[in-house]
Each structure stands twice: as structure tokens, then as C-alpha cells.
Amino acid sequence: MSDKILLNSKKIQIILQRLACQLIENHGDFSNTVLIGLQPRGTYFAERIASILRDDYHIKNIKLGKLDITFYRDDFRRRDEPLSANSTEINFLVEGQKVVFIDDVLFSGRSINAALTAIQSYGRPAEVELLVLIDRRFSRHLPIQPDYKGATVDVINEEVVVVNWSNDTLSDAVYITNKKKK
Amino acid sequence: MKTLSVPNLLGIKHLVKEDIDLIFETADHFKEVINRPIKKVPSLRDITIANLFFENSTRTKLSFELAEKRLSADVINFSASGSSVKKGETLIDTVNNILSMKVDIVVMRHPDVGAHEFLARHVNTRIINAGDGTHEHPTQALLDSFSIREHLGDVAGKKVVIVGDILHSRVALSNIYALKLQGAEVKVCGPVTLIPKYIESLGVGVETDLRKALEWADVANMLRVQNERMDIKYFPSTREYTQLYGVDKKLLNSLDSEITIMHPGPINRGVEITSDVADSDQAIILNQVENGVAIRMACIYLLASQIKQ
């Protein structure tokens, strides 16, 4: 197998704990903060962060939503095939709240740009932060940077960073694979 | 990701089951969008859509226009009355003139059967049929099936009776195609004079006794009598039609099981259904109207995704 492992499950666990602690430092009891996982893959990551905050740090009333950005993307009609939409589940108001976007990999920044537009359909947030597991620096198309990041990687455009979340957390992994192989 | 198997939405007859599944799946997401505080997405902000209505329409036109605006498309409207059509301009010339203004999608209602098929052969644009004469009305049939799926969980295996003026109804024909494609059982019910010959060749049953039809059905789709399309008398009087084919609350309550009542509108209250039926919990008429916007957003979105930049 030529896939290169970037992070194994142990390292991912350490990073998740660190990111959760950083969030607590800035958001306290999360009474004015909402977590938004970006569909599709950011939602798994968001659920992991939320469960650490709940179970390990006993923070109650974590508000966690899922946001789909398919209809807000700027590459509609530029792709060979249209993207499948995912469900949006936001059962609370974001008006006046501190919003933390959670995504697994930050690449060009276009998804985050779309998410910033999409979230406005749910109200005007007081502020928006971005938390990512992997920051692919030097590949940004837009002036977007994460507020919290798990790890930074430098990979060429032909390579893809894949995050695998497993049910038991023991097989969690982040690896680099070649686009052409897929 | 799947795409529609057709470049235009001319009729349900041209679709396959996977197309309907894709449209419903997409409409589910748009239904969530139109129930948000801000009901708009920017997907179609570089698309221009022309609504060409050569025949009167209220709800279909409003529903399409709302769907287009909620997708952020630019919209132009045209109605035949007060246009150059009255001066003798042909359909192709009218449409070509509009297309010269760089229109990407045409939504058209036309009184002539096959007008859309004809146009699709002669102009290079995406066409959505919003009703062609007594032939097809695909988006209405899609929203009807979508409403059944939403209300009863699935369309497959459900028994649906279409009641009324089957002969002049494009809603009936498109519904028959859509329901059969999804595995529903379909019957039509109405006066013999308003049931087309050979309709059974489409795989539907015929029943002239309304009570028997309703006893059989899970869903009754009540159609309006289209007096404007009748050049001869098909039944003695509206009063007699209502007595034989109208549904009132007393009739509904006397049935063994509770059935769902649908109506594509506009309702003639007191003719095909009484007010207490139209406003009852068994009627899903207003759900149909709401679902119409989501279904039309899905159809437009999926066709627009085929227009490459």
C-alpha cells in the first residue's frame, strides 16, 4: 500500500483532546456558542469534539448542528456531475451566537466561503470561528485561515488527504493518497 | 451523483423510476430550505429562466416563479394575452426572440398538445412542460406523488383513484404515468363520457361507482370538471355530477377506512368536494401546494446542472 499515514488513532485522540481544551478556553460553558459540522465529513469530526466536551469535560447543553453547503457552492455547473446534497440539521437559532465551523480538511477555502453564506440563512452570528483537523496550507484560493487546527500538512495538488473515522475510534486514521489512484 | 436521464422535462412518459427518485431526494432538501427563516439559496444566480404562459394559470405560474426566485435565478414572465402572439407571431419566433435575450431555461404552458415536443426539436434550450393542453402536466404529477410519499410513507403498493374529468385532464395522464412507474395501483372513476376509450391499456382500472372506488382506495385525487375544454355536454347537469361524483364529509365518514383526499386545484367547492372535505384533516391539498415549490426547485436545479459553463 502506497498510502502514507499522517496521523494514527492515538495521535488523533491527543489532537482531539487539545482542540476541545482550546475551545473551552475561548468559549467557557458554551452558553452562547454553537458548533456546526460541515456536511458531509466535518460532521463526524464535530460529533467527536462534542462528545469529548460532554463526556470528558462535563459541559452540558452543547448545541451541535449539521450544515450542508451543496446549494451554496460556487462550482455548480462547473463539475462533470452535480454534487449530492446532504441534510441540514440546525434545531437552534444562530442569531447573536458564536458559531464554530468544524471541518476535517481545509483545502482551497471555498467550502468555508460557501458555509459562511449558508449560515446566514439561520440568522446573523455574533462571530464565526473555524476549527479543522488538517490544514493543507499553501493551497488556499481565498483568504481563509483556521482559528484552531489539529495538524498542518504540505501536499501537492495530485494528492488527497483522507480522514477515516471508525466506530470504535481505534482505527481512526488520516492518510495521504494519490488522486489518480481513485 | 446521478443526473436526470433527460435534457428536458416534457412529460412523465419520458422519465424512468430513477429520475423520479432523484427529483424526490433533491426536493426533500429544498423542502428544508423553504422552511428556513431565509428561504433562498444562491445556486442558480447565473441562470435566466423565461416563464411562457400561453394559457391562463395562477398557482402553477406562481409556484414556478417562487421556485426560480428561491434558487436565485433571474426570471422573466410572458403571457400570451397582450403579446405579439395576438398579432400572428408563431411559437418558434416568439420563443427564439426570447432566447435571443440569453435565456437558459424555458418553462412553458401551452394549450396545444405536443407544443413542447415541437419546440424541443427546434430550439436549443432546456424546456419544462408546465402543462400542454389535455396531455401532460409533469410537475403536478411529481408533486402529487411526492405528497403521497410524504403522507403515507411510500407510493409503491398504494391504491390511488383519480376521480372526475379524466378525458380533459393532463393531471390525470401524468399522474397515471408517475404512479404506475412507482408501483402504485391506479383506478380512474367518473362518468363514462369523461373516461377516455382504451385508458385500460395504460394499466389502470375503471370504476363508475364512486363509493366502490373510494372503498377500494387509500388515496382519492379529485379533479376539477374542465368546462372550458368541453365543446359538447358530457353530463346532464352539474347538480347531477355532484350527486354522483362529488365527495362530502358524510360519504367519507361512511367508508370503512380513512382515505387521503387530494386536489390539484383550483377547487370548485361544492362540486367535486365540499368545503368540509377540502378543509378536513384528511385533505392534503395545501401540502400539495407547498410541495409544488420544492418539486419545481428540484426539477429546475437538476436541469440547470446539465447546462455547463
Side-chain angles (χ1 to χ4, degrees), chain A residues 67-68 70-74 76-90 93 117-118 120-123, chain B residues 1-3 25-26 29-30 32-33 36-38 40-47 104 301-302 304-309:
Chain A
L67 178 66
D68 183 56
T70 308
F71 301 130
Y72 297 83
R73 296 186 66 96
D74 60 5
F76 179 62
R77 296 172 55 219
R78 287 170 180 82
R79 289 171 170 261
D80 291 337
E81 290 188 335
L83 288 165
S84 289
N86 290 285
S87 60
T88 292
E89 294 164 28
I90 299 179
L93 290 174
T117 314
Q120 290 173 32
S121 296
Y122 296 88
Chain B
M1 166 74 188
K2 300 151 278 183
T3 53
E25 202 179 296
T26 313
H29 299 300
F30 283 124
E32 187 270 324
V33 168
R36 290 179 191 170
I38 296 168
K40 208 171 165 81
V41 292
S43 303
L44 266 67
R45 60 189 152 199
D46 51 351
I47 293 275
D104 302 291
Y301 178 82
L302 290 168
S305 71
Q306 298 176 351
I307 307 169
K308 294 296 168 211
Q309 284 200 322

Side-chain angles (χ1 to χ4, degrees), chain A residues 33-46:
Chain A
T33 300
V34 299
L35 306 181
I36 302 285
L38 302 188
Q39 288 277 27
R41 307 212 36 99
T43 57
Y44 302 113
F45 180 31

Side-chain angles (χ1 to χ4, degrees), chain B residues 74-136:
Chain B
D74 292 316
V75 180
I76 53 171
N77 288 303
F78 165 93
S79 55
S81 57
S83 75
S84 292
V85 173
K86 297 286 178 206
K87 299 177 189 167
E89 190 172 64
T90 65
L91 174 63
I92 288 184
D93 282 344
T94 304
V95 174
N96 269 329
N97 274 306
I98 292 167
L99 293 181
S100 301
M101 301 173 200
K102 307 300 172 204
V103 166
D104 302 291
I105 298 176
V106 165
V107 175
M108 186 169 85
R109 168 168 287 190
H110 202 280
D112 295 335
V113 171
H116 301 75
E117 301 253 6
F118 171 75
L119 202 63
R121 284 201 298 272
H122 289 90
V123 299
N124 182 25
T125 187
R126 308 278 153 171
I127 298 170
I128 297 179
N129 183 353
D132 60 332
T134 56
H135 183 223
E136 280 228 45

Side-chain angles (χ1 to χ4, degrees), chain A residues 45-65:
Chain A
F45 180 31
E47 278 164 5
R48 290 295 174 87
I49 292 282
S51 69
I52 289 173
L53 292 172
R54 266 191 299 260
D55 302 340
D56 297 359
Y57 297 98
H58 310 293
I59 296 170
K60 293 172 187 167
N61 305 320
I62 291 281
K63 283 172 275 187
L64 173 64

